[in-house]
Amino acid sequence: MSCFAQLRSSSRTAVNGRAPRAALLVGTLALAGVFAGCAPDAWKPNPTYDAFLNKVDKNCGTMRIGEASISQLMNPGSNLYSAYFVDMTSRFESGRISTEDYMEGIASTFTTILDTAGIRCIIAQKNP
């Protein structure tokens, strides 16, 4: 799950300028669920992960996964940025998912083959 949520304004009207308690509770629980699903390194600096991303960008950045380059998928300023790609790469680097799960997740999401050069390059950065 992505660490980003799209907030929508409620169609309910406020009572005396205050939101109904039920709506407030639901909103609070939804927001807590969004943050609970995020990778721990999404909220604090992690020099090991940062070094891994820098290595991936330097050695694999121009390679493509599906329609986008790896650099585009990792760069929040790019219109092809993918929070899913960054989250999966974080999970892979930290050992929370296997190499096979990483390959399958990335290949199926970005409509490419499992053995694409871009995916192989990322894996090689972790397992030199």
Side-chain angles (χ1 to χ4, degrees), residues 9-65:
S9 61
S10 175
S11 60
R12 292 184 154 180
T13 58
V15 178
N16 294 332
R18 296 182 348 185
R21 287 183 189 207
L24 184 60
L25 177 61
V26 169
T28 301
L29 291 175
L31 191 57
V34 167
F35 289 124
C38 297
D41 53 8
W43 305 110
K44 62 183 179 182
N46 182 334
T48 303
Y49 177 63
D50 292 340
F52 177 71
L53 281 187
N54 289 338
K55 191 174 176 183
V56 166
D57 194 31
K58 178 183 175 195
N59 298 328
C60 313
T62 59
M63 295 182 179
R64 302 189 81 70
I65 293 181

Side-chain angles (χ1 to χ4, degrees), residues 75-128:
N75 180 358
S78 167
N79 61 344
L80 296 174
Y81 171 76
S82 171
Y84 174 79
F85 177 81
V86 173
D87 187 54
M88 286 291 285
T89 303
S90 167
R91 291 170 190 266
F92 169 66
E93 185 277 329
S94 67
R96 290 192 312 255
I97 61 172
S98 68
T99 300
E100 293 77 22
D101 288 344
Y102 179 75
M103 291 172 68
E104 289 174 14
I106 296 299
S108 65
T109 299
F110 297 101
T111 318
T112 191
I113 60 172
L114 286 173
D115 198 30
T116 188
I119 293 174
R120 282 194 323 260
C121 184
I122 292 169
I123 291 166
Q125 304 316 300
K126 182 176 178 191
N127 306 315

